Short mmCIF file of all heavy atoms in Angstrom, two decimals:
data_model
loop_
_atom_site.label_atom_id
_atom_site.label_comp_id
_atom_site.label_asym_id
_atom_site.label_seq_id
_atom_site.Cartn_x
_atom_site.Cartn_y
_atom_site.Cartn_z
N GLN T 33 10.55 10.97 2.10
CA GLN T 33 11.53 9.97 2.51
C GLN T 33 10.87 8.58 2.52
O GLN T 33 9.93 8.35 3.31
CB GLN T 33 12.06 10.34 3.89
CG GLN T 33 13.23 9.53 4.37
CD GLN T 33 13.75 10.05 5.70
OE1 GLN T 33 13.57 11.20 6.06
NE2 GLN T 33 14.42 9.18 6.43
N PRO T 34 11.31 7.65 1.67
CA PRO T 34 10.62 6.35 1.53
C PRO T 34 10.42 5.58 2.83
O PRO T 34 9.34 5.04 3.05
CB PRO T 34 11.53 5.58 0.56
CG PRO T 34 12.19 6.64 -0.24
CD PRO T 34 12.42 7.78 0.73
N ASP T 35 11.41 5.54 3.71
CA ASP T 35 11.23 4.76 4.94
C ASP T 35 10.19 5.40 5.86
O ASP T 35 9.43 4.71 6.52
CB ASP T 35 12.55 4.51 5.66
CG ASP T 35 13.28 5.78 6.05
OD1 ASP T 35 13.16 6.80 5.34
OD2 ASP T 35 14.00 5.77 7.07
N LEU T 36 10.12 6.74 5.86
CA LEU T 36 9.09 7.40 6.66
C LEU T 36 7.71 7.19 6.05
O LEU T 36 6.73 7.01 6.78
CB LEU T 36 9.37 8.90 6.78
CG LEU T 36 10.48 9.30 7.75
CD1 LEU T 36 10.68 10.81 7.75
CD2 LEU T 36 10.18 8.82 9.15
N LEU T 37 7.62 7.22 4.74
CA LEU T 37 6.34 6.95 4.08
C LEU T 37 5.83 5.57 4.46
O LEU T 37 4.63 5.39 4.72
CB LEU T 37 6.47 7.08 2.56
CG LEU T 37 6.62 8.49 2.02
CD1 LEU T 37 6.98 8.46 0.55
CD2 LEU T 37 5.37 9.31 2.27
N LYS T 38 6.72 4.61 4.53
CA LYS T 38 6.32 3.25 4.90
C LYS T 38 5.82 3.21 6.35
O LYS T 38 4.78 2.62 6.63
CB LYS T 38 7.49 2.28 4.71
CG LYS T 38 7.09 0.85 4.94
CD LYS T 38 8.18 -0.10 4.54
CE LYS T 38 7.66 -1.51 4.76
NZ LYS T 38 8.43 -2.50 4.10
N ILE T 39 6.53 3.86 7.24
CA ILE T 39 6.12 3.91 8.65
C ILE T 39 4.75 4.55 8.78
O ILE T 39 3.92 4.13 9.58
CB ILE T 39 7.17 4.68 9.49
CG1 ILE T 39 8.45 3.85 9.63
CG2 ILE T 39 6.62 5.05 10.87
CD1 ILE T 39 9.63 4.62 10.18
N LEU T 40 4.49 5.57 7.97
CA LEU T 40 3.22 6.29 8.02
C LEU T 40 2.10 5.58 7.24
O LEU T 40 0.97 6.06 7.20
CB LEU T 40 3.40 7.70 7.46
CG LEU T 40 4.36 8.61 8.23
CD1 LEU T 40 4.62 9.89 7.47
CD2 LEU T 40 3.81 8.90 9.62
N GLY T 41 2.44 4.46 6.60
CA GLY T 41 1.45 3.74 5.81
C GLY T 41 1.09 4.46 4.52
O GLY T 41 0.00 4.34 4.00
N ARG T 42 2.04 5.24 3.99
CA ARG T 42 1.81 6.03 2.79
C ARG T 42 2.84 5.72 1.72
O ARG T 42 3.19 6.58 0.93
CB ARG T 42 1.88 7.52 3.13
CG ARG T 42 0.89 7.91 4.19
CD ARG T 42 0.99 9.38 4.51
NE ARG T 42 -0.35 9.90 4.29
CZ ARG T 42 -0.63 10.99 3.62
NH1 ARG T 42 0.31 11.72 3.13
NH2 ARG T 42 -1.87 11.36 3.46
N GLU T 43 3.31 4.48 1.68
CA GLU T 43 4.36 4.13 0.74
C GLU T 43 3.93 4.26 -0.71
O GLU T 43 4.76 4.36 -1.60
CB GLU T 43 4.95 2.74 1.01
CG GLU T 43 3.93 1.63 1.03
CD GLU T 43 3.40 1.31 2.42
OE1 GLU T 43 3.32 2.22 3.28
OE2 GLU T 43 3.06 0.15 2.65
N THR T 44 2.63 4.31 -0.97
CA THR T 44 2.17 4.52 -2.34
C THR T 44 2.04 6.00 -2.67
O THR T 44 1.61 6.36 -3.76
CB THR T 44 0.80 3.83 -2.57
OG1 THR T 44 -0.14 4.38 -1.65
CG2 THR T 44 0.93 2.33 -2.38
N ASN T 45 2.41 6.87 -1.75
CA ASN T 45 2.34 8.32 -1.94
C ASN T 45 3.61 8.78 -2.66
O ASN T 45 4.40 9.53 -2.14
CB ASN T 45 2.22 9.00 -0.57
CG ASN T 45 2.03 10.49 -0.66
OD1 ASN T 45 1.85 11.05 -1.74
ND2 ASN T 45 2.09 11.15 0.48
N GLY T 46 3.79 8.30 -3.88
CA GLY T 46 5.01 8.56 -4.61
C GLY T 46 5.05 9.92 -5.28
O GLY T 46 4.02 10.54 -5.55
N ILE T 47 6.26 10.35 -5.55
CA ILE T 47 6.50 11.66 -6.15
C ILE T 47 5.78 11.80 -7.49
O ILE T 47 5.29 12.87 -7.82
CB ILE T 47 8.01 11.90 -6.27
CG1 ILE T 47 8.58 12.14 -4.86
CG2 ILE T 47 8.33 13.04 -7.20
CD1 ILE T 47 10.08 12.26 -4.80
N GLU T 48 5.68 10.70 -8.25
CA GLU T 48 5.01 10.79 -9.55
C GLU T 48 3.55 11.21 -9.40
O GLU T 48 3.01 11.90 -10.25
CB GLU T 48 5.12 9.46 -10.32
CG GLU T 48 4.40 8.28 -9.69
CD GLU T 48 5.13 7.59 -8.55
OE1 GLU T 48 6.27 7.97 -8.22
OE2 GLU T 48 4.57 6.66 -7.97
N TYR T 49 2.91 10.80 -8.31
CA TYR T 49 1.53 11.22 -8.05
C TYR T 49 1.45 12.73 -7.80
O TYR T 49 0.48 13.37 -8.19
CB TYR T 49 0.95 10.51 -6.82
CG TYR T 49 0.58 9.08 -7.04
CD1 TYR T 49 1.31 8.06 -6.45
CD2 TYR T 49 -0.52 8.73 -7.82
CE1 TYR T 49 0.97 6.74 -6.64
CE2 TYR T 49 -0.87 7.40 -8.01
CZ TYR T 49 -0.12 6.42 -7.42
OH TYR T 49 -0.47 5.11 -7.61
N HIS T 50 2.44 13.24 -7.10
CA HIS T 50 2.41 14.66 -6.73
C HIS T 50 2.35 15.56 -7.95
O HIS T 50 1.57 16.51 -7.99
CB HIS T 50 3.63 15.02 -5.88
CG HIS T 50 3.77 14.19 -4.65
ND1 HIS T 50 4.95 14.12 -3.95
CD2 HIS T 50 2.89 13.40 -3.97
CE1 HIS T 50 4.80 13.32 -2.91
NE2 HIS T 50 3.56 12.88 -2.91
N PHE T 51 3.20 15.29 -8.93
CA PHE T 51 3.23 16.14 -10.13
C PHE T 51 1.93 16.01 -10.92
O PHE T 51 1.38 17.01 -11.39
CB PHE T 51 4.44 15.81 -11.01
CG PHE T 51 5.73 16.33 -10.45
CD1 PHE T 51 6.64 15.46 -9.85
CD2 PHE T 51 6.03 17.68 -10.50
CE1 PHE T 51 7.82 15.95 -9.31
CE2 PHE T 51 7.21 18.17 -9.97
CZ PHE T 51 8.11 17.30 -9.37
N ARG T 52 1.42 14.81 -11.03
CA ARG T 52 0.16 14.60 -11.75
C ARG T 52 -0.98 15.31 -11.02
O ARG T 52 -1.81 15.99 -11.64
CB ARG T 52 -0.13 13.11 -11.89
CG ARG T 52 -1.26 12.82 -12.85
CD ARG T 52 -1.46 11.33 -13.13
NE ARG T 52 -0.24 10.54 -13.09
CZ ARG T 52 -0.09 9.43 -12.36
NH1 ARG T 52 -1.07 8.97 -11.62
NH2 ARG T 52 1.05 8.77 -12.38
N ALA T 53 -1.04 15.15 -9.70
CA ALA T 53 -2.09 15.78 -8.90
C ALA T 53 -2.02 17.30 -9.01
O ALA T 53 -3.04 17.97 -9.21
CB ALA T 53 -1.98 15.35 -7.45
N ALA T 54 -0.81 17.85 -8.89
CA ALA T 54 -0.65 19.31 -8.99
C ALA T 54 -1.09 19.81 -10.37
O ALA T 54 -1.73 20.86 -10.47
CB ALA T 54 0.80 19.70 -8.71
N GLY T 55 -0.79 19.06 -11.40
CA GLY T 55 -1.21 19.44 -12.74
C GLY T 55 -2.73 19.47 -12.88
O GLY T 55 -3.29 20.41 -13.45
N HIS T 56 -3.40 18.46 -12.31
CA HIS T 56 -4.86 18.43 -12.37
C HIS T 56 -5.46 19.58 -11.57
O HIS T 56 -6.45 20.20 -12.00
CB HIS T 56 -5.38 17.10 -11.84
CG HIS T 56 -5.06 15.94 -12.71
ND1 HIS T 56 -5.12 14.64 -12.26
CD2 HIS T 56 -4.67 15.86 -14.01
CE1 HIS T 56 -4.78 13.82 -13.25
NE2 HIS T 56 -4.50 14.53 -14.31
N ILE T 57 -4.88 19.85 -10.43
CA ILE T 57 -5.38 20.94 -9.57
C ILE T 57 -5.26 22.28 -10.29
O ILE T 57 -6.19 23.09 -10.31
CB ILE T 57 -4.62 20.93 -8.22
CG1 ILE T 57 -5.09 19.73 -7.38
CG2 ILE T 57 -4.81 22.25 -7.47
CD1 ILE T 57 -4.22 19.43 -6.18
N ARG T 58 -4.13 22.52 -10.91
CA ARG T 58 -3.93 23.77 -11.66
C ARG T 58 -4.83 23.84 -12.89
O ARG T 58 -5.43 24.88 -13.18
CB ARG T 58 -2.47 23.93 -12.07
CG ARG T 58 -1.54 24.22 -10.92
CD ARG T 58 -1.87 25.55 -10.32
NE ARG T 58 -0.88 25.88 -9.31
CZ ARG T 58 -1.09 26.75 -8.36
NH1 ARG T 58 -2.24 27.39 -8.28
NH2 ARG T 58 -0.16 27.02 -7.48
N ALA T 59 -4.96 22.73 -13.61
CA ALA T 59 -5.80 22.71 -14.81
C ALA T 59 -7.26 22.98 -14.46
O ALA T 59 -7.99 23.58 -15.27
CB ALA T 59 -5.67 21.37 -15.53
N ALA T 60 -7.68 22.58 -13.28
CA ALA T 60 -9.06 22.82 -12.85
C ALA T 60 -9.30 24.28 -12.48
O ALA T 60 -10.44 24.71 -12.37
CB ALA T 60 -9.42 21.92 -11.67
N GLY T 61 -8.22 25.03 -12.30
CA GLY T 61 -8.36 26.46 -12.02
C GLY T 61 -8.23 26.87 -10.57
O GLY T 61 -8.52 28.01 -10.22
N PHE T 62 -7.78 25.96 -9.71
CA PHE T 62 -7.59 26.34 -8.31
C PHE T 62 -6.47 27.37 -8.20
O PHE T 62 -5.41 27.20 -8.79
CB PHE T 62 -7.25 25.12 -7.45
CG PHE T 62 -8.43 24.24 -7.18
CD1 PHE T 62 -8.73 23.18 -8.02
CD2 PHE T 62 -9.25 24.49 -6.10
CE1 PHE T 62 -9.82 22.37 -7.78
CE2 PHE T 62 -10.35 23.68 -5.85
CZ PHE T 62 -10.64 22.62 -6.69
N ARG T 63 -6.73 28.43 -7.48
CA ARG T 63 -5.73 29.48 -7.27
C ARG T 63 -5.23 29.51 -5.83
O ARG T 63 -4.36 30.30 -5.50
CB ARG T 63 -6.30 30.85 -7.63
CG ARG T 63 -6.72 30.97 -9.08
CD ARG T 63 -5.50 31.00 -10.01
NE ARG T 63 -5.91 30.99 -11.39
CZ ARG T 63 -5.73 29.98 -12.24
NH1 ARG T 63 -5.13 28.90 -11.83
NH2 ARG T 63 -6.14 30.04 -13.47
#
Side-chain angles (χ1 to χ4, degrees):
Q33 189 175 337
D35 59 329
L36 284 179
L37 287 170
K38 186 171 182 164
I39 289 168
L40 297 171
R42 302 180 124 227
E43 56 266 31
T44 60
N45 185 7
I47 289 174
E48 65 280 357
Y49 285 110
H50 304 163
F51 286 105
R52 191 173 328 128
H56 292 162
I57 287 167
R58 289 295 186 201
F62 285 91
R63 299 289 175 249

